[in-house]
Amino acid sequence: MPKNENLFSSWRGWCGRVTSRLVHRGWRAVQRVGAVTAERPGPYRFGRIGVGTRLAFPQGTLFGEPWIELGEHCVIGEQVTLTAGMMPGVDLGPDPVLRIGNGVVLGRGSHVIASVPVEFGDDVFCGPYVYVTSDNHSYDDPEQPIGRQWPRSAPVHIGPGSWLGAGAVILPGARLGRNVVVAAGAVVRGEVPDHAVVAGAPARIIRRWAPEEGWQPPLRTPAPVPIPEDMTVEQLLALAELEREQEQAGQREQAGRQEQAGQREQPGERGLEREPGAGAS
């Protein structure tokens, strides 16, 4: 290849790397500036945005903000849709319609649709693409397109401390108790008691906690040990390295025992061998 072509290829590669860095750096700057907070609400006028709450950029569909209240220290992921009312510009009265408590996390691409009251308790965590709605299509009239028929609506309540897995769907009228676990992809309707785990479509209870018996059926794995609050990052890394060394030492010890066991078995195996033709007559 001619020398000038090598120089051109190197120059083109360098330009590509620089352009890539600039694009990513610019996008991060856009994300920082485009995020919605109480101090920087952008074009939105929510009924309330608590201290420390942040709606990541780019946002999903947002309307009916005067009837939406967001608690403190919430994390609203990218492309999350929050709506109050069937369409923009509708007067929904004096009371909030969508209430999100303190410390709530809504994962990327989630949708919360509320035309009647929808409430999230404190510290509810949602995976990506969760769908919560107070409205469902009706199909009473067989002659009318389903999308043109007036929907059925009912309030939704999600109790504090609950966890909604990725892709979970919460239908109108659902009432989830405290610390409820909704498995990924579950479709929930009706009432779910405190400290229950539900899964399936439609969702059903697969595990519950009782003060006298604990979890039934019992949990298959032991509870994780929480990290002490005063532990530093350096200590965590050192602890992880120590655990790796202990695991490797255990593997070497197990391999040594297996090798010794194999050596002990060999003499016995030779003693059991018989000469050709030997046997009971």
Side-chain angles (χ1 to χ4, degrees):
M1 182 181 292
K3 186 175 182 181
N4 59 345
E5 290 188 15
N6 285 333
L7 291 174
F8 178 75
S9 299
S10 300
W11 170 256
R12 187 170 54 183
W14 180 85
C15 288
R17 290 191 294 272
V18 171
T19 303
S20 176
R21 292 193 191 101
L22 291 175
V23 167
H24 284 279
R25 187 177 301 173
W27 178 246
R28 286 195 293 269
V30 169
Q31 287 179 308
R32 287 194 299 270
V33 175
V36 171
T37 64
E39 297 78 19
R40 297 185 302 183
Y44 306 109
R45 297 296 177 263
F46 288 96
R48 176 175 178 256
I49 302 183
V51 175
T53 289
R54 180 185 179 92
L55 286 76
F57 180 86
Q59 291 88 32
T61 302
L62 299 174
F63 63 76
E65 310 97 272
W67 292 273
I68 299 176
E69 293 187 351
L70 307 175
E72 299 178 357
H73 303 290
C74 296
V75 177
I76 313 297
E78 296 180 14
Q79 299 290 353
V80 169
T81 289
L82 300 174
T83 65
M86 294 288 187
M87 61 188 71
V90 177
D91 187 350
L92 302 177
D95 299 322
V97 175
L98 173 56
R99 288 180 174 174
I100 294 180
N102 299 326
V104 171
V105 175
L106 288 175
R108 177 188 177 92
S110 294
H111 286 60
V112 183
I113 314 297
S115 65
V116 297
V118 172
E119 182 177 8
F120 286 69
D122 295 342
D123 300 311
V124 172
F125 283 64
C126 302
Y129 307 107
V130 167
Y131 192 91
V132 180
T133 181
S134 66
D135 308 286
N136 205 354
H137 291 289
S138 61
Y139 47 88
D140 301 73
D141 188 345
E143 302 299 328
Q144 286 290 329
I146 292 171
R148 294 173 183 250
Q149 298 187 42
W150 198 255
R152 283 183 167 84
S153 302
V156 173
H157 176 81
I158 300 173
S162 294
W163 161 253
L164 312 184
V169 177
I170 311 299
L171 293 176
R175 291 191 60 83
L176 279 62
R178 183 183 185 86
N179 281 31
V180 167
V181 176
V182 178
V187 180
V188 182
R189 60 183 303 175
E191 189 162 348
V192 179
D194 295 347
H195 307 292
V197 181
V198 297
R204 61 182 182 85
I205 296 175
I206 60 172
R207 180 173 278 122
R208 290 191 63 179
W209 183 85
E212 314 83 30
E213 303 172 347
W215 286 103
Q216 296 298 324
L219 299 175
R220 294 190 293 269
T221 56
V225 179
I227 298 173
E229 294 182 0
D230 57 350
M231 181 168 282
T232 64
V233 174
E234 291 76 13
Q235 290 172 328
L236 285 173
L237 293 174
L239 181 60
E241 181 63 26
L242 178 61
E243 290 178 349
R244 279 195 295 269
E245 292 176 357
Q246 291 176 342
E247 183 179 358
Q248 292 172 357
Q251 291 174 350
R252 289 194 295 269
E253 183 179 353
Q254 183 178 3
R257 287 198 299 267
Q258 291 174 349
E259 184 178 355
Q260 291 176 0
Q263 292 174 352
R264 286 196 298 268
E265 288 175 0
Q266 288 176 2
E269 291 174 353
R270 288 196 297 269
L272 293 175
E273 293 177 357
R274 295 180 176 181
E275 295 180 1
S281 57

